[in-house]
Amino acid sequence: MPNRPPILALLLAALCAAAAGGCGAGTPNPSFPLTAARAEDELGAMAADPRPLPRPVVVIDGFMDVGFSSSVVAGRLRKLAVDPNRVLTVNLFWCGSFDDARAKIVREVDAAFPSADAGETRAVDVVGISMGGLAARYAALHAGPPP
């Protein structure tokens, strides 16, 4: 049997990478040209002039994230929100497929922000972190009750 590093060491390495900024933290996204300094300026402006959220905000973790990244992002958003209860985190760590992730996202959004129509899920804004963005997109594109 090959010598494998313990799972705790792998998790610690992943957490350190996330804390250090993750992969490609310095690579600009041409579709979203926002520097860290400009983002900090915007967050400061939001803190100085808080406004109600037009829709609830759902922060969804990435692949193999135990909840660290969504907790950090949601915590920052809650500090800026007039009503911090309108910010929800969804952790997909135990989801084994996009169908599982979709079902969990829909279930948690419905529980936190019930819709007047039982057949509809309330409209929300999503902050998808890595794979969380893909799972959110999948959830939004597949109408009907989750499997």
Side-chain angles (χ1 to χ4, degrees):
M1 177 178 215
N3 186 8
R4 288 186 251 160
I7 190 74
L8 184 57
L10 292 174
L11 288 173
L12 184 57
L15 286 174
C16 289
C23 298
T27 305
N29 180 345
S31 300
F32 192 67
L34 181 69
T35 64
R38 181 73 180 129
E40 288 296 332
D41 291 344
E42 290 296 325
L43 290 170
M46 291 168 66
D49 185 20
R51 298 182 187 176
L53 296 169
R55 289 169 296 283
V57 175
V58 180
V59 183
I60 304 173
D61 283 330
F63 179 68
M64 297 299 289
D65 188 333
V66 295
F68 177 76
S69 58
S70 65
S71 295
V72 171
V73 172
R76 190 78 183 258
L77 292 174
R78 285 185 184 111
K79 288 180 185 175
L80 298 170
V82 172
D83 180 0
N85 294 320
R86 291 186 43 96
V87 179
L88 171 71
T89 60
V90 178
N91 181 274
L92 304 178
F93 186 75
W94 295 108
C95 295
S97 69
F98 276 109
D99 286 332
D100 292 346
R102 176 179 179 271
K104 184 166 186 185
I105 292 166
V106 170
R107 186 173 55 250
E108 292 195 21
V109 168
D110 284 344
F113 312 112
S115 173
D117 180 352
E120 294 282 324
T121 299
R122 178 176 285 213
V124 297
D125 289 324
V126 175
V127 177
I129 300 169
S130 190
M131 185 73 77
L134 297 175
R137 180 91 171 150
Y138 182 80
L141 289 175
H142 291 79

